[in-house]
Amino acid sequence: MATKHEQILQHILSLGIGNKISVRQIAKDLNVSEGTAYRAIKEAENQGLVSTIERVGTIRIERKKKENFERLTFAEVINIVDGQVLGGRGGLHKTLNKFVIGAMQLEAMMRYTEANSLLIVGNRVKAHELALNEGASVLITGGFDTADHIKHLADEKQIPIMSTSYDTFTVAAMINRAIYDQLIKKEIIFVDDISTPYDEAFYLNEKDPLEKWYQLNEKSTHTRFPVVDEKKRVVGMVTSRDIIGKDQKMAMEKVMTKNPLVVQAKTSLAYVAHMMVWEGIEVVPIVDQAYELQGLVSRQDVLKALQQIQRQPQVGETIDDIVSSNIYALEEDQTVFQTEVTPQMTNQLGTLSNGVFTSLVTEASSRLLLQAKKGDLVVENITVYFIKPVQIDSKLIIKPKLLDIGRIYAKIDVEVFQERKLVGKGLLMAQLIDR
């Protein structure tokens, strides 16, 4: 039987796009507490089923497909620009294809305005009307209002007309920033992107005899299986070490390791990789908020995804991407690296940022280990002994030196020079991920 939390999520899924949702109403309709309803609505928001807008409320929206990462709904635009809805609330769930800045004559403006686009314009009532008739939403800048008949037209067509106190340039910059942030988020791989789903996962029940482990072991590529109770909640893990030498008629609950490490679907790949290296485990169960088994993620899944990421081009660049793209090995010595301090790598004083310095240390160390064919690293500790001010546009030489290396760990000393002068020194301790 589904839990109350799941029943509420199913109820939200059954609602029509554009429906308004409230904690009190759901609590009343499904006979649950307001606290339970609130938690389920927050989960629905995380899943992209609803959107909460200030001064409007929570509405059911269409869940966006992953390939539409560069698009926003009108509900999201309202949140970005801190605006208010003047009319057409029924269309807030719709997705905009592009936005147009209305800084031209009406005839020219209409050539660029089409259905599902967003016209950003000032208090030009005629432009508002023409855009709505074309099927385009309108965002009025400068905090201006519009005529009542325009609001009624927006309600009839279910096309949002909105207002914000920001100017046109600021609004365009804010929407561009939001799209850019989504491009960066697109590059982040989560557990549910690479996992083995529940239907294909191997698992055991707590009442199963140990001989069931031997049967699964013949079918699976790993020897570690989650153990679930009658409600499919993960209650333990069992490995070959737990069952060797034990009576095969004994129940799993007698030998399993209780309270195992688990992750959720939206846990990042980086976190799972660190957990597997740190704890030395090969399989981690994926659970929902009720601890019910949703699938598995294995070490092979993680390694395959890490290698795939390195081959993919970055679209939205983070600081780490900028550092990585600007560092390269010297031709005469492939273990020595060079980079240049770009404006994005500096602090407010115009010198190399401390955070970027640690990124340079990590990147140079990682490349040194790859050259030694030792695999990728997971940073355990970075000690910065000192860092001197380094001006913008300075050229730096980075010299990582392998002090000690074992099967699963490495210790690397890194020195950073500017024109043969030592400007920074650090020590990196890392655990290794075998390829």
Side-chain angles (χ1 to χ4, degrees):
M1 182 178 174
T3 63
K4 289 181 179 179
H5 183 86
E6 291 169 338
Q7 289 173 11
I8 297 170
L9 287 176
Q10 289 299 322
H11 173 71
I12 291 171
L13 271 169
S14 69
L15 295 175
I17 303 299
N19 273 26
K20 198 167 181 180
I21 297 168
S22 74
V23 171
R24 188 170 297 173
Q25 190 61 46
I26 283 187
K28 182 180 175 183
D29 291 345
L30 300 182
N31 195 26
V32 297
S33 69
E34 291 191 2
T36 302
Y38 175 79
R39 285 191 293 274
I41 289 173
K42 280 298 174 188
E43 174 65 20
E45 192 169 5
N46 291 337
Q47 293 181 15
L49 299 174
V50 302
S51 179
T52 303
I53 307 168
E54 195 175 348
R55 297 187 292 275
V56 174
T58 303
I59 61 169
R60 173 79 167 88
I61 63 171
E62 188 175 2
R63 180 187 275 170
K64 290 187 295 181
K65 295 180 180 179
K66 285 192 177 182
E67 58 266 26
N68 288 339
F69 60 86
E70 74 282 2
R71 296 183 181 180
L72 301 170
T73 64
F74 295 114
E76 289 169 323
V77 170
I78 278 288
N79 282 331
I80 291 164
V81 301
D82 193 22
Q84 58 180 321
V85 182
L86 304 178
R89 292 187 181 187
L92 285 171
H93 66 279
K94 295 177 181 176
T95 302
L96 67 144
N97 294 328
K98 68 175 184 178
F99 65 89
V100 179
I101 297 175
M104 56 193 88
Q105 295 295 326
L106 281 177
E107 295 77 13
M109 197 186 301
M110 288 306 109
R111 285 205 298 268
Y112 298 97
T113 306
E114 57 189 41
N116 296 322
S117 61
L118 174 67
L119 176 65
I120 302 172
V121 69
N123 56 338
R124 300 170 65 179
V125 176
K126 189 63 178 174
H128 305 166
E129 184 176 2
L130 289 172
L132 290 173
N133 284 324
E134 290 290 332
S137 181
V138 179
L139 178 58
I140 306 169
T141 58
F144 293 109
D145 202 344
T146 190
D148 287 340
H149 74 276
I150 300 295
K151 296 176 185 177
H152 293 314
L153 179 62
D155 289 334
E156 285 174 18
K157 291 182 172 289
Q158 292 196 326
I159 299 172
I161 184 163
M162 305 162 282
S163 177
T164 177
S165 58
Y166 294 109
D167 62 88
T168 302
F169 177 80
T170 303
V171 165
M174 292 167 84
I175 295 174
N176 263 330
R177 179 71 239 183
I179 292 172
Y180 190 80
D181 286 347
Q182 289 202 17
L183 291 171
I184 292 173
K185 288 180 182 177
K186 164 189 167 284
E187 301 298 327
I188 299 173
I189 293 182
F190 295 102
V191 164
D192 63 346
D193 295 323
I194 63 170
S195 63
T196 302
Y198 174 79
D199 296 338
E200 300 173 21
F202 293 116
Y203 60 90
L204 297 159
N205 290 294
E206 59 182 347
K207 302 298 182 185
D208 285 339
L210 297 191
E211 61 185 355
K212 184 74 180 289
W213 179 92
Y214 289 96
Q215 295 170 13
L216 287 188
N217 190 44
E218 292 179 2
K219 305 175 188 175
S220 175
T221 57
H222 53 81
T223 60
R224 180 182 172 91
F225 303 104
V227 182
V228 300
D229 61 13
E230 68 278 1
K231 294 182 178 179
K232 301 300 179 189
R233 293 179 300 197
V234 175
V235 293
M237 291 292 289
V238 64
T239 69
S240 55
R241 187 185 304 171
D242 298 320
I243 68 162
I244 293 299
K246 305 278 176 55
D247 183 358
Q248 293 193 20
K249 301 298 180 185
M250 190 181 293
M252 288 293 166
E253 60 185 345
K254 300 291 185 183
V255 299
M256 70 183 185
T257 302
K258 296 180 180 179
N259 302 317
L261 293 168
V262 296
V263 294
Q264 294 193 333
K266 289 303 174 187
T267 303
S268 71
L269 172 66
Y271 181 87
V272 176
H274 192 280
M275 178 193 291
M276 286 182 162
V277 172
W278 197 257
E279 301 294 338
I281 52 182
E282 58 177 327
V283 173
V284 181
I286 304 164
V287 299
D288 60 13
Q289 288 188 327
Y291 245 70
E292 289 183 20
L293 183 66
Q294 302 295 303
L296 297 173
V297 60
S298 68
R299 186 184 288 252
Q300 288 84 356
D301 296 331
V302 170
L303 288 173
K304 193 183 298 180
L306 285 171
Q307 291 166 6
Q308 196 170 0
I309 286 173
Q310 292 170 359
R311 291 194 292 267
Q312 288 180 347
Q314 294 291 319
V315 183
E317 284 194 322
T318 62
I319 292 296
D320 280 348
D321 297 327
I322 293 168
V323 168
S324 179
S325 62
N326 286 336
I327 187 171
Y328 54 91
L330 297 182
E331 289 184 9
E332 58 272 21
D333 187 349
Q334 293 292 305
T335 63
V336 178
F337 304 91
Q338 182 173 325
T339 190
E340 185 173 341
V341 181
T342 64
Q344 297 96 327
M345 295 162 65
T346 59
N347 56 27
Q348 65 269 30
L349 300 175
T351 59
L352 182 67
S353 160
N354 291 348
V356 172
F357 178 81
T358 59
S359 292
L360 289 171
V361 168
T362 305
E363 183 66 24
S365 301
S366 177
R367 295 195 186 189
L368 181 69
L369 286 174
L370 284 173
Q371 286 179 13
K373 298 191 170 133
K374 293 295 182 181
D376 292 314
L377 62 82
V378 173
V379 176
E380 180 180 331
N381 181 36
I382 295 179
T383 302
V384 177
Y385 293 115
F386 73 91
I387 175 173
K388 293 181 179 178
V390 178
Q391 300 296 321
I392 193 169
D393 295 332
S394 298
K395 286 185 170 55
L396 300 178
I397 299 295
I398 307 166
K399 296 183 177 180
K401 181 182 178 183
L402 202 55
L403 298 181
D404 195 8
I405 190 164
R407 187 175 61 85
I408 60 170
Y409 79 95
K411 184 189 294 184
I412 302 168
D413 178 77
V414 183
E415 294 180 331
V416 180
F417 295 85
Q418 180 192 4
E419 296 178 351
R420 299 186 181 179
K421 179 183 176 184
L422 188 64
V423 293
K425 185 177 175 67
L427 179 69
L428 182 140
M429 301 280 292
Q431 294 213 27
L432 304 176
I433 308 177
D434 291 331
R435 285 180 173 274

